[in-house]
Structures are given as C-alpha cells and as structure tokens.
Coordinates of all heavy atoms in Angstrom, one line a residue:
A1 N -24.1 -5.4 -34.2 CA -23.5 -5.8 -32.9 C -24.0 -7.2 -32.5 O -25.1 -7.6 -32.9 CB -24.0 -4.8 -31.8
P2 N -23.2 -8.0 -31.8 CA -23.6 -9.4 -31.5 C -24.8 -9.5 -30.6 O -25.4 -10.5 -30.5 CB -22.3 -9.9 -30.8 CG -21.5 -8.7 -30.3 CD -21.8 -7.6 -31.3
E3 N -25.1 -8.4 -29.8 CA -26.2 -8.4 -29.0 C -26.9 -7.1 -29.0 O -26.3 -6.0 -29.4 CB -25.8 -8.7 -27.5 CG -25.2 -10.0 -27.3 CD -24.6 -10.2 -25.9 OE1 -24.3 -9.2 -25.3 OE2 -24.6 -11.3 -25.4
K4 N -28.2 -7.0 -28.8 CA -29.0 -5.8 -28.8 C -28.9 -5.1 -27.4 O -29.3 -5.7 -26.4 CB -30.5 -6.0 -29.2 CG -30.7 -6.7 -30.5 CD -30.2 -5.8 -31.6 CE -30.6 -6.4 -33.0 NZ -30.1 -5.7 -34.1
W5 N -28.4 -3.9 -27.4 CA -28.3 -3.2 -26.1 C -29.1 -1.9 -26.2 O -29.0 -1.1 -27.2 CB -26.9 -2.8 -25.8 CG -26.1 -4.0 -25.5 CD1 -26.5 -5.2 -24.9 CD2 -24.7 -4.2 -25.8 NE1 -25.4 -6.1 -24.8 CE2 -24.3 -5.5 -25.3 CE3 -23.7 -3.4 -26.3 CZ2 -23.0 -6.0 -25.4 CZ3 -22.4 -3.9 -26.4 CH2 -22.1 -5.2 -26.0
K6 N -30.0 -1.6 -25.3 CA -31.0 -0.5 -25.4 C -30.2 0.8 -25.3 O -30.6 1.7 -26.1 CB -32.0 -0.6 -24.2 CG -33.1 0.5 -24.3 CD -34.1 0.3 -23.1 CE -35.3 1.2 -23.3 NZ -34.9 2.6 -23.3
Y7 N -29.3 1.0 -24.4 CA -28.7 2.3 -24.3 C -28.0 2.8 -25.5 O -28.4 3.9 -26.0 CB -27.7 2.3 -23.1 CG -26.9 3.6 -23.0 CD1 -27.5 4.7 -22.4 CD2 -25.6 3.7 -23.5 CE1 -26.9 5.9 -22.3 CE2 -24.9 4.9 -23.4 CZ -25.6 6.0 -22.8 OH -24.9 7.2 -22.8
P8 N -27.1 2.1 -26.2 CA -26.5 2.7 -27.4 C -27.5 2.8 -28.6 O -27.4 3.8 -29.3 CB -25.4 1.7 -27.7 CG -25.8 0.4 -27.0 CD -26.5 0.8 -25.8
I9 N -28.5 1.9 -28.7 CA -29.5 2.0 -29.7 C -30.3 3.3 -29.5 O -30.5 4.1 -30.5 CB -30.4 0.8 -29.8 CG1 -29.5 -0.4 -30.4 CG2 -31.6 1.0 -30.7 CD1 -30.3 -1.7 -30.3
D10 N -30.8 3.5 -28.3 CA -31.5 4.7 -28.0 C -30.7 6.0 -28.3 O -31.2 7.0 -28.8 CB -32.0 4.7 -26.6 CG -33.2 3.8 -26.4 OD1 -33.7 3.3 -27.4 OD2 -33.6 3.6 -25.2
R11 N -29.5 6.0 -27.8 CA -28.6 7.1 -27.9 C -28.4 7.5 -29.4 O -28.5 8.7 -29.8 CB -27.3 6.9 -27.2 CG -26.3 8.0 -27.4 CD -25.0 7.7 -26.6 NE -24.0 8.8 -26.8 CZ -23.9 9.9 -26.2 NH1 -24.8 10.2 -25.2 NH2 -23.0 10.8 -26.4
F12 N -28.0 6.5 -30.2 CA -27.7 6.8 -31.6 C -29.0 6.9 -32.5 O -28.9 7.6 -33.5 CB -26.8 5.7 -32.2 CG -25.4 5.8 -31.6 CD1 -24.9 4.8 -30.8 CD2 -24.6 7.0 -31.8 CE1 -23.6 4.9 -30.2 CE2 -23.3 7.1 -31.2 CZ -22.8 6.0 -30.4
A13 N -30.1 6.3 -32.1 CA -31.3 6.6 -32.8 C -31.8 8.0 -32.6 O -32.2 8.7 -33.6 CB -32.4 5.6 -32.3
M14 N -31.6 8.5 -31.4 CA -31.9 9.9 -31.1 C -31.1 10.8 -32.0 O -31.6 11.8 -32.6 CB -31.7 10.3 -29.7 CG -32.0 11.7 -29.3 SD -31.7 12.1 -27.6 CE -29.9 11.8 -27.4
E15 N -29.8 10.6 -32.1 CA -28.9 11.4 -32.9 C -29.2 11.3 -34.3 O -29.1 12.3 -35.1 CB -27.4 11.1 -32.6 CG -26.4 11.8 -33.4 CD -26.4 13.3 -33.3 OE1 -27.1 13.8 -32.4 OE2 -25.8 13.9 -34.2
T16 N -29.5 10.1 -34.8 CA -29.8 9.9 -36.2 C -31.1 10.7 -36.6 O -31.1 11.3 -37.7 CB -30.0 8.4 -36.6 OG1 -28.7 7.8 -36.3 CG2 -30.3 8.2 -38.0
K17 N -32.1 10.6 -35.8 CA -33.3 11.4 -36.0 C -33.0 12.9 -36.0 O -33.6 13.7 -36.8 CB -34.4 11.0 -35.0 CG -35.0 9.6 -35.3 CD -36.1 9.2 -34.4 CE -37.4 10.0 -34.6 NZ -38.0 9.8 -35.9
R18 N -32.2 13.3 -35.1 CA -31.8 14.8 -35.1 C -31.2 15.2 -36.4 O -31.5 16.2 -37.0 CB -30.9 15.1 -33.9 CG -30.6 16.5 -33.7 CD -29.4 16.8 -32.8 NE -28.2 16.4 -33.4 CZ -27.5 17.1 -34.3 NH1 -28.0 18.3 -34.6 NH2 -26.4 16.7 -34.8
Q19 N -30.3 14.3 -36.9 CA -29.6 14.6 -38.2 C -30.6 14.6 -39.3 O -30.5 15.5 -40.2 CB -28.5 13.6 -38.4 CG -27.3 13.7 -37.5 CD -26.3 12.6 -37.6 OE1 -26.4 11.7 -38.5 NE2 -25.3 12.5 -36.8
L20 N -31.5 13.7 -39.3 CA -32.5 13.7 -40.4 C -33.4 15.0 -40.3 O -33.8 15.6 -41.4 CB -33.5 12.5 -40.2 CG -32.9 11.2 -40.7 CD1 -33.7 10.0 -40.2 CD2 -32.7 11.1 -42.2
D21 N -33.6 15.5 -39.1 CA -34.4 16.7 -39.0 C -33.5 17.9 -39.5 O -34.1 18.8 -40.1 CB -34.7 16.9 -37.5 CG -35.8 18.0 -37.3 OD1 -36.7 18.1 -38.1 OD2 -35.7 18.8 -36.3
V22 N -32.2 17.9 -39.2 CA -31.4 18.9 -39.8 C -31.5 19.0 -41.3 O -31.7 20.1 -41.9 CB -29.9 18.7 -39.4 CG1 -28.9 19.6 -40.2 CG2 -29.7 18.9 -37.9
L23 N -31.4 17.8 -42.0 CA -31.5 17.8 -43.4 C -32.9 18.2 -43.9 O -33.1 18.9 -44.9 CB -31.2 16.4 -43.9 CG -29.8 15.9 -43.8 CD1 -29.7 14.4 -44.2 CD2 -28.8 16.8 -44.6
D24 N -34.0 17.7 -43.2 CA -35.3 18.0 -43.5 C -35.6 19.5 -43.5 O -36.2 20.1 -44.4 CB -36.3 17.3 -42.6 CG -37.7 17.1 -43.2 OD1 -37.7 16.4 -44.3 OD2 -38.7 17.7 -42.7
R25 N -35.1 20.2 -42.5 CA -35.2 21.7 -42.4 C -34.4 22.4 -43.5 O -34.9 23.4 -44.1 CB -34.8 22.2 -41.1 CG -35.7 21.7 -39.9 CD -35.1 22.0 -38.6 NE -35.8 21.4 -37.5 CZ -36.8 22.1 -36.8 NH1 -37.0 23.3 -37.1 NH2 -37.4 21.5 -35.8
Q26 N -33.2 21.8 -43.8 CA -32.4 22.4 -44.9 C -33.1 22.3 -46.3 O -33.0 23.2 -47.1 CB -31.0 21.8 -44.9 CG -30.1 22.2 -46.1 CD -29.6 23.6 -45.9 OE1 -29.9 24.3 -44.9 NE2 -28.9 24.1 -46.9
L27 N -33.8 21.2 -46.5 CA -34.4 21.0 -47.8 C -35.8 21.5 -47.9 O -36.5 21.4 -48.9 CB -34.5 19.5 -48.0 CG -33.1 18.8 -48.3 CD1 -33.2 17.3 -48.2 CD2 -32.6 19.2 -49.7
A28 N -36.3 22.2 -46.9 CA -37.6 22.8 -46.9 C -37.8 23.8 -47.9 O -39.0 24.0 -48.5 CB -38.0 23.3 -45.5
D29 N -36.8 24.6 -48.2 CA -37.0 25.7 -49.2 C -35.9 25.8 -50.2 O -35.6 26.8 -50.8 CB -37.0 27.0 -48.4 CG -35.7 27.3 -47.6 OD1 -34.9 26.4 -47.6 OD2 -35.7 28.3 -46.9
R30 N -35.3 24.6 -50.5 CA -34.3 24.5 -51.6 C -34.3 23.1 -52.2 O -34.6 22.2 -51.5 CB -32.9 24.9 -51.1 CG -32.5 24.1 -49.8 CD -31.2 24.5 -49.3 NE -31.1 25.9 -48.9 CZ -31.6 26.4 -47.8 NH1 -32.2 25.6 -46.9 NH2 -31.5 27.7 -47.5
P31 N -34.0 23.0 -53.5 CA -34.1 21.7 -54.1 C -33.0 20.7 -53.8 O -33.1 19.5 -53.9 CB -34.1 22.0 -55.6 CG -33.4 23.3 -55.7 CD -33.7 24.1 -54.5
Y32 N -31.8 21.3 -53.4 CA -30.6 20.5 -53.2 C -30.0 20.9 -51.8 O -30.3 22.0 -51.3 CB -29.6 20.5 -54.3 CG -30.2 20.0 -55.6 CD1 -30.6 20.9 -56.6 CD2 -30.3 18.6 -55.8 CE1 -31.1 20.4 -57.8 CE2 -30.9 18.1 -57.0 CZ -31.2 19.0 -58.0 OH -31.8 18.5 -59.2
I33 N -29.2 20.1 -51.3 CA -28.6 20.3 -50.0 C -27.9 21.7 -49.9 O -28.1 22.4 -49.0 CB -27.6 19.2 -49.6 CG1 -28.3 17.9 -49.5 CG2 -26.9 19.6 -48.3 CD1 -29.3 17.8 -48.3
G34 N -27.1 22.0 -50.9 CA -26.3 23.3 -50.9 C -27.1 24.5 -51.4 O -26.6 25.6 -51.3
G35 N -28.2 24.2 -52.0 CA -29.0 25.4 -52.6 C -29.7 25.0 -53.9 O -30.4 24.0 -53.9
D36 N -29.5 25.7 -54.9 CA -30.3 25.5 -56.2 C -29.6 24.5 -57.1 O -30.3 24.0 -58.0 CB -30.4 26.9 -56.9 CG -31.3 27.9 -56.2 OD1 -32.2 27.4 -55.5 OD2 -31.0 29.1 -56.4
E37 N -28.4 24.2 -56.9 CA -27.6 23.3 -57.8 C -27.2 22.0 -57.1 O -26.8 22.0 -56.0 CB -26.4 24.0 -58.4 CG -26.7 25.3 -59.1 CD -27.5 25.1 -60.4 OE1 -27.3 24.0 -61.0 OE2 -28.2 26.0 -60.8
Y38 N -27.3 20.9 -57.9 CA -26.8 19.6 -57.5 C -25.3 19.7 -57.3 O -24.6 20.2 -58.1 CB -27.2 18.6 -58.6 CG -26.8 17.2 -58.4 CD1 -27.3 16.4 -57.4 CD2 -25.9 16.6 -59.3 CE1 -26.9 15.0 -57.2 CE2 -25.5 15.3 -59.2 CZ -26.0 14.5 -58.2 OH -25.7 13.2 -58.0
S39 N -24.8 19.1 -56.2 CA -23.4 19.3 -55.9 C -22.8 18.1 -55.2 O -23.5 17.1 -54.9 CB -23.2 20.5 -55.1 OG -23.6 20.3 -53.7
I40 N -21.5 18.1 -54.9 CA -20.9 17.1 -54.1 C -21.5 16.9 -52.7 O -21.3 15.9 -52.1 CB -19.3 17.2 -54.1 CG1 -19.0 18.6 -53.4 CG2 -18.7 17.1 -55.4 CD1 -17.5 18.7 -53.2
A41 N -22.2 17.9 -52.3 CA -22.9 17.8 -51.0 C -24.0 16.7 -51.1 O -24.1 15.8 -50.2 CB -23.4 19.1 -50.5
D42 N -24.7 16.8 -52.2 CA -25.8 15.8 -52.4 C -25.2 14.4 -52.7 O -25.7 13.4 -52.1 CB -26.6 16.2 -53.6 CG -27.3 17.5 -53.5 OD1 -28.3 17.6 -52.7 OD2 -26.8 18.5 -54.0

C-alpha cells in the first residue's frame, strides 16, 4: 500500500495469525496437511 495504515494492518495481521494457528493445530498430529500423504493440499 502507498501508506501504512494501522487499522487494516492490525485487522489482517490478526486474521493471518489465526490462519497460521489453524494450520499449526492441523499439523500437530499428522505429517501433511491432509493426513499421512503429501497432496495437492500441501
């Protein structure tokens, strides 16, 4: 963006960290996103 604005950066940083947490929890007990096999999800 041409200028730094706190509101959208905070809003989307929060959502990005939530998404990373979704993935982190999914990968806690499986080697790949969909399960045991590497796939188009990865």
Side-chain angles (χ1 to χ4, degrees):
E3 298 173 331
K4 302 293 186 186
W5 294 329
K6 185 177 187 301
Y7 174 77
I9 290 174
D10 283 354
R11 177 178 175 84
F12 290 116
M14 178 180 65
E15 173 60 13
T16 298
K17 287 182 69 67
R18 188 194 69 81
Q19 292 174 3
L20 286 167
D21 193 39
V22 169
L23 291 175
D24 203 61
R25 292 168 187 267
Q26 176 68 6
L27 289 164
D29 58 358
R30 51 184 59 81
Y32 297 105
I33 296 293
D36 293 330
E37 301 295 330
Y38 179 67
S39 73
I40 57 173
D42 302 282

